[in-house]
Amino acid sequence: MEILKLKENITNGAFEEKIKFMYSCTETKKYNDRFIEVIDGLEENFGKKEDVRIFSAPGRTEIGGNHTDHQHGCVLAASLNLDVIGAVSLNGTDTIRIKSKGYPLDEVNINELEPDKAEYDKAKALIRGIVKKFTDMGYTVKGFDAYTVSNVLKGSGMSSSAAFEVLVGT
C-alpha cells in the first residue's frame, strides 16, 4: 500500500477491528502508534518507499512439552499478544536489508546463501538460513528492505528469535 495511505488508514482506524482481534484488546491506540513507528523507521533507514506492507509475528509460550521438539517430540504452544512487527518494501536488488530497532543493519545477498561461521548467533545467519530453505524449495526470493520493532522480550522464553524468523519468512 502507498505509505501515506497506509499511515492515514492506521490513524483513521481503518484496521481497528483487525487490530482488536489480533491483539485481543479493546483499545488500539498503542498498537496504531507501533505501526506508525515501524513505518517511520522504514523511511528513516531506507528512504521514501512507494509500496509498503506491514507484517506481524507473535512470540509464543510452550504450555506443555517444553523443548521436547528438539528431539522430535510434541509441544503444545500458544501465541502471545507480544510480537515482532515489520514494515517492508521490495528494493529491486538482490539484497535483503533488515534494520531492527536497537540493533545494527543486517544485509544478506540472496545469491550468497552458504552458511558463514562468522555469522553464527547473529540475525544474519537466521535470515540467510530462511532464504536458503525457501530457494531450495523452489521459491523465488527478492531483495527487500525492512524495519522491525519487537516487544517480545529477548531471552524470556517467549521465542523472540523464532518470531523474528517467522517475520522474515513471511
Side-chain angles (χ1 to χ4, degrees):
M1 181 177 287
E2 193 273 321
I3 200 162
L4 291 176
K5 183 70 174 164
L6 182 58
K7 287 170 89 170
E8 179 183 311
N9 283 342
I10 292 168
T11 303
N12 292 337
F15 304 120
E16 189 163 337
E17 290 307 311
K18 289 180 182 182
I19 291 171
K20 285 179 179 180
F21 177 78
M22 191 163 98
Y23 292 106
S24 297
C25 67
T26 55
E27 174 57 46
T28 61
K29 183 181 179 337
K30 73 179 181 178
Y31 300 106
N32 291 341
D33 291 347
R34 280 183 78 218
F35 289 123
I36 296 295
E37 175 188 4
V38 80
I39 293 166
D40 289 344
L42 180 71
E43 280 195 309
E44 288 168 14
N45 286 277
F46 301 106
K48 286 279 189 205
K49 298 292 183 178
E50 293 298 318
D51 186 29
V52 175
R53 309 296 165 127
I54 296 179
F55 298 94
S56 166
R60 71 160 194 254
T61 186
E62 294 177 350
I63 298 166
N66 191 22
H67 294 289
T68 61
D69 54 327
H70 301 286
Q71 290 79 36
H72 306 288
C74 295
V75 174
L76 177 62
S79 66
L80 304 169
N81 65 353
L82 302 175
D83 60 353
V84 180
I85 60 172
V88 182
S89 183
L90 294 175
N91 62 25
T93 73
D94 288 340
T95 302
I96 294 172
R97 301 185 306 172
I98 301 177
K99 171 71 172 103
S100 297
K101 182 178 180 179
Y103 294 91
L105 174 70
D106 289 303
E107 293 187 63
V108 173
N109 183 314
I110 61 176
N111 300 310
E112 299 170 9
L113 299 177
E114 292 307 313
D116 180 348
K117 287 187 179 189
E119 293 175 356
Y120 286 11
D121 296 324
K122 295 183 175 59
K124 282 178 82 167
L126 297 175
I127 298 164
R128 193 177 308 281
I130 292 162
V131 174
K132 173 90 168 105
K133 182 64 176 179
F134 274 96
T135 58
D136 287 351
M137 293 171 58
Y139 291 99
T140 300
V141 177
K142 297 181 180 181
F144 63 86
D145 295 330
Y147 182 79
T148 73
V149 174
S150 179
N151 62 6
V152 181
L153 307 172
K154 185 177 179 183
S156 65
M158 296 180 194
S159 300
S160 59
S161 61
F164 179 77
E165 290 171 331
V166 169
L167 186 75
V168 171
T170 303

